[in-house]
Amino acid sequence: EVQLAESGGGLVQTGGSLRLSCVTSGFTFDDAAIGWFRQAPGKKREGVSCISTSDGSTNYADSVKGRFTVSTDNAKRTMYLQMDSLKPEDTADYYCAAGNSIAVVGGASCYGYGDGYLEAWGQGTPVTVSS
């Protein structure tokens, strides 16, 4: 069974920082596409960042470039999202995901080839940025 579990969300002021973590199991972690999505109330879920674990290549939505950084610790099967210079517009529920491909806003994608069909989601962790 593929499982993903996010943690690290919370309440911060504008300009603050948070670090999200996603612990995973049940798939070939070192050759997968994994990433972060977010969804605000009344809005569509959007891809924020992804990483191809086979080579470490990353993609970011324009709205978070220069402020967010995605990384992994393959030995720990864990993905991180370092969020700096947070804005109220970043307020949302944040989800980690694993798939054969992960697309971020704007169309750029990450790819993985270590498994057959793969699509899995965590349950989400809330991030609130006060003005």
Side-chain angles (χ1 to χ4, degrees), residues 6-27:
E6 310 95 332
S7 62
L11 173 64
V12 298
Q13 297 184 54
T14 297
S17 297
L18 285 172
R19 189 192 193 208
L20 307 183
S21 298
C22 176
V23 178
T24 74
S25 62
F27 65 95

Side-chain angles (χ1 to χ4, degrees), residues 85-125:
S85 301
L86 283 162
K87 305 174 181 179
E89 305 93 273
D90 298 317
T91 295
D93 290 330
Y94 282 71
Y95 300 84
C96 64
N100 302 113
S101 65
I102 298 289
V104 302
V105 172
S109 296
C110 302
Y111 298 93
Y113 304 97
D115 298 89
Y117 177 78
L118 176 64
E119 182 180 348
W121 299 85
Q123 69 272 5
T125 187

Side-chain angles (χ1 to χ4, degrees), residues 12-99:
V12 298
Q13 297 184 54
T14 297
S17 297
L18 285 172
R19 189 192 193 208
L20 307 183
S21 298
C22 176
V23 178
T24 74
S25 62
F27 65 95
T28 306
F29 188 90
D30 61 0
D31 193 2
I34 52 177
W36 294 94
F37 291 73
R38 66 186 183 187
Q39 187 169 25
K43 297 184 179 180
K44 293 173 58 178
R45 186 175 297 188
E46 61 180 18
V48 173
S49 180
C50 67
I51 183 167
S52 299
T53 58
S54 61
D55 61 8
S57 60
T58 59
N59 294 110
Y60 297 91
D62 286 344
S63 60
V64 306
K65 282 181 180 177
R67 301 188 298 119
F68 291 10
T69 304
V70 65
S71 62
T72 62
D73 184 332
N74 288 20
K76 296 180 179 179
R77 298 184 58 91
T78 301
M79 174 178 61
Y80 306 96
L81 185 67
Q82 178 66 43
M83 304 186 294
D84 298 318
S85 301
L86 283 162
K87 305 174 181 179
E89 305 93 273
D90 298 317
T91 295
D93 290 330
Y94 282 71
Y95 300 84
C96 64

